[in-house]
Amino acid sequence: MTDELDPRDRPRTTNDVPAAGPIDDQALAALFRDVAEDWRMPPQRLDAPTWRDRVGSGSRRPWLGRLARAGILAMAATLGLSLVAVWLSLPTRGPNQAGATPGASGTVATPGATDRPNPSSLPKLTLSGEPPSATSVLVRVGPDYAIADLTTGSLGHRITGSSGSSDLRRLADGRFVCLCVETDGYNAGAFTHAVMSVRTYDRSGALIDRKTIGEYTGSPDPRPGIKDDLPPHVELAVSYSQDGHLGFVGWSARRPPAWQAGIVIVELASGRVVQRVALADMSTGPADAIVQAFPPRVSLSSDGDGALISRDSYAIDAGTSIYRSRTDHFMATFDSDRMGALAAFAPSDGCPDGQADAGFGSDQRVWLACWSANGQLSVRRLDADGSLRDEVRLADSGVEGETWLAAPGGSALYFWAPSTRVVSRLDLATGEVTSATAPAPSATVGPGPLAAVGRWLAPPAAAKVFLQPGIVLSPDGSRVYALGIAGGDAGPSGSTGVFSFDSVSLAPLANWPATADFASLAISRDGRFVYAAGAPGVDARGAPSGFGASITVYDTSDGSVRLMAGQLGRDEDLLFPGPILP
């Protein structure tokens, strides 16, 4: 548990607590007016945006900018109205409630003891029937990983000790393999040196082998006038083959006057480097522009014979501050775990605000998922020569993270809007889109409108806007499961549980009530159980609570809760590394 106290938990005196009893409209209005009049926005310089301002709505991570903007607005509201929020979040008291002393006339005197809400928490472990098929579950905890033991309801030690670029996967034999990144040499706002290693761990998470597969060094841009707050000078990214046999480590390093990049292909079970592939250099930019390049990513065709390499970058014009996103694509043959020569493929500037994803359809033709300038997602289907066949525009999901997925084999893409409960299916062969809306879940009775306002204003109401992943497909391809969130004028807050759909017709099948504020979803490899990870510090409605991080396991046959582990830590969210558990 963190050392920082919730504002409601600190001892309070008669000087900072409103008098007990219900507040009338005039008193409430006065509180808002007094706080608003005393608060002033600190001075802001509007004519000198940094690279973060310029790329906030673009690049390969458009959700970072939208999340940052939401955070700034929430912080401003919190600074101005936190006093009111804290009071509104307090439990109201009447004459006969604990902590109040009745006076002789029946009125309520000033409380003589600290009025604390009763801390609540989920049970450490509950089980109904036999344990689910997967009880040793790998979860991401902040930048690291740990094993959640669902037979004891406990969370194990952090496994890798590496940075957020590291990626840990479970092998078929129960061992774990990490493509781990260690960084150092901080200079001009970013790291300049990175070491990539392949580490193997036993079933308990103990290290049994380590092989260094590459060291990469970048440097700041030395040109006059280039600011020190540049993005990373060296960066690595990891992608995988669909069968989990191979890992692809993409790297990019600024070595003025060029960006250099490449791909290392690793056989995961043995840690052996199969091949190293170099990409053509990219300029760090002319005198009037800044160019930032990101590591390449690899997607394999469903027949395993072809590879698509995507390399994102952006340029900022130094004079006009105009931002331009770009993704270069390359195609290569793929045979016996080795990649052939790279050939340029498809328009490099096809996505106006950055590429979200890319892959192959069942007909081995390429599709690109693009962000548009207004935050919407569209899918472009390309012909064999890279020319545009058509484009399908889809509404933005309204939250960040992974709210779309590709069906194995490339038959379809699924898109999920958690607040409106709309699921869409794009047939990659025909371009046809099918959509369906799940019925609204039953309303949950809350503690009252004033408390709801308090939760919106107070810091704990930094409502969940990140699902990772938020949608999964059953291994047999027959069902789609997705996490819903409550939406409103103040933004998303709280969970509306797990929704299930028929994967072809998209007919809504069920809605399983939430036991916590869910942020991540996965399914067992046998398809019998769905796992939902809940965030700590809030209850299922998004209200502040004593809840710890949790995992709830649903039986897919009837939606009943088979198991719940409710005390898996209070400091950080738990996220599933992938949609399918072993």
Side-chain angles (χ1 to χ4, degrees):
M1 195 168 181
T2 61
D3 294 333
E4 183 178 355
L5 292 176
D6 188 288
R8 301 176 306 157
D9 290 338
R10 64 177 178 86
R12 294 176 288 114
T13 69
T14 56
N15 294 325
D16 61 1
V17 180
I23 187 171
D24 58 26
D25 291 343
Q26 290 182 343
L28 180 61
L31 279 170
F32 273 96
R33 185 168 53 253
D34 291 343
V35 173
E37 289 176 352
D38 289 340
W39 180 78
R40 297 289 185 271
M41 173 71 81
Q44 302 289 320
R45 183 177 178 185
L46 302 179
D47 61 345
T50 66
W51 72 268
R52 294 177 181 84
D53 301 314
R54 293 161 178 157
V55 305
S57 64
S59 87
R60 61 186 182 142
R61 299 186 182 98
W63 59 269
L64 282 174
R66 295 201 292 274
L67 197 59
R69 289 195 294 272
I72 292 169
L73 292 174
M75 183 163 54
T78 300
L79 288 172
L81 299 170
S82 59
L83 175 61
V84 179
V86 170
W87 186 86
L88 289 173
S89 296
L90 294 173
T92 57
R93 299 193 310 277
N96 298 318
Q97 288 182 285
T101 305
S105 64
T107 60
V108 179
T110 301
T114 300
D115 180 27
R116 289 170 173 258
N118 292 327
S120 61
S121 61
L122 295 171
K124 181 177 178 63
L125 184 67
T126 60
L127 177 65
S128 177
E130 294 295 320
S133 51
T135 56
S136 177
V137 178
L138 181 67
V139 291
R140 185 148 201 159
V141 188
D144 209 331
Y145 295 83
I147 300 170
D149 185 344
L150 301 187
T151 63
T152 62
S154 59
L155 188 67
H157 65 279
R158 305 297 190 267
I159 296 175
T160 71
S162 299
S163 75
S165 298
S166 301
D167 204 284
L168 185 72
R169 294 293 173 104
R170 192 194 296 261
L171 299 174
D173 60 7
R175 294 178 300 151
F176 298 93
V177 61
C178 178
L179 295 173
C180 282
V181 180
E182 298 170 272
T183 52
D184 58 18
Y186 200 78
N187 187 4
F191 290 106
T192 60
H193 182 247
V195 177
M196 172 64 74
S197 63
V198 181
R199 304 182 195 174
T200 306
Y201 300 84
D202 65 17
R203 293 170 180 264
S204 68
L207 180 66
I208 57 178
D209 188 42
R210 181 177 187 263
K211 298 183 179 73
T212 297
I213 63 173
E215 293 192 39
Y216 309 96
T217 301
S219 63
D221 197 316
R223 292 175 296 167
I226 300 298
K227 294 184 178 181
D228 288 340
D229 62 346
L230 290 170
H233 312 311
V234 60
E235 192 172 7
L236 293 88
V238 176
S239 50
Y240 296 93
S241 60
Q242 286 192 7
D243 61 6
H245 170 61
L246 297 173
F248 303 97
V249 179
W251 62 271
S252 182
R254 183 193 291 109
R255 296 168 182 168
W259 280 96
Q260 296 182 343
I263 300 165
V264 182
I265 303 176
V266 182
E267 185 181 64
L268 297 178
S270 65
R272 178 176 64 93
V273 173
V274 178
Q275 186 184 15
R276 299 180 189 271
V277 179
L279 273 69
D281 288 355
M282 176 185 294
S283 171
T284 55
D288 59 350
I290 300 170
V291 172
Q292 180 72 24
F294 296 102
R297 294 162 295 162
V298 178
S299 301
L300 296 183
S301 60
S302 57
D303 61 10
D305 292 338
L308 174 69
I309 297 90
S310 302
R311 184 185 187 183
D312 296 330
S313 62
Y314 65 79
I316 301 175
D317 184 273
T320 64
S321 297
I322 294 176
Y323 158 82
R324 294 182 178 86
S325 174
R326 176 187 179 100
T327 302
D328 291 303
H329 299 102
F330 305 90
M331 193 72 76
T333 59
F334 200 80
D335 182 32
S336 299
D337 299 347
R338 295 187 65 85
M339 192 178 293
L342 275 58
F345 176 81
S348 60
D349 58 350
C351 295
D353 208 22
Q355 181 172 294
D357 205 354
F360 290 86
S362 56
D363 58 3
Q364 313 310 319
R365 293 180 176 176
V366 170
W367 56 266
L368 309 176
C370 296
W371 293 110
S372 59
N374 59 1
Q376 289 187 319
L377 199 65
S378 64
V379 177
R380 300 183 173 195
R381 299 191 307 151
L382 307 182
D383 281 324
D385 61 358
S387 60
L388 180 65
R389 190 194 319 184
D390 59 22
E391 181 173 0
V392 179
R393 298 187 181 277
L394 298 152
D396 187 5
S397 71
V399 301
E400 311 299 349
E402 294 182 4
T403 52
W404 70 86
L405 62 84
S411 60
L413 295 177
Y414 293 89
F415 300 86
W416 169 242
S419 297
T420 57
R421 308 175 309 284
V422 176
V423 63
S424 301
R425 180 183 186 274
L426 169 62
D427 188 310
L428 288 170
T430 66
E432 180 182 359
V433 177
T434 306
S435 297
T437 304
S442 300
T444 301
V445 178
L450 289 182
V453 172
R455 289 197 307 275
W456 172 63
L457 296 175
K464 174 178 72 284
V465 294
F466 189 74
L467 301 178
Q468 182 79 15
I471 180 172
V472 300
L473 186 66
S474 63
D476 66 0
S478 65
R479 296 287 184 268
V480 174
Y481 300 95
L483 291 177
I485 60 174
D489 293 338
S493 177
S495 177
T496 53
V498 179
F499 293 83
S500 67
F501 302 85
D502 181 274
S503 64
V504 178
S505 68
L506 300 186
L509 301 177
N511 172 218
W512 307 331
T515 61
D517 194 7
F518 293 149
S520 189
L521 194 65
I523 189 170
S524 59
R525 192 165 294 278
D526 59 12
R528 295 176 54 200
F529 300 98
V530 163
Y531 296 66
V538 289
D539 62 17
R541 298 168 302 173
S545 77
F547 282 19
S550 64
I551 293 178
T552 300
V553 184
Y554 294 92
D555 188 325
T556 58
S557 66
D558 58 8
S560 61
V561 174
R562 175 64 64 90
L563 181 148
M564 183 168 61
Q567 298 177 24
L568 298 175
R570 295 180 179 272
D571 297 330
E572 295 180 284
D573 289 347
L574 306 183
L575 302 174
F576 297 114
I580 298 180
L581 301 176

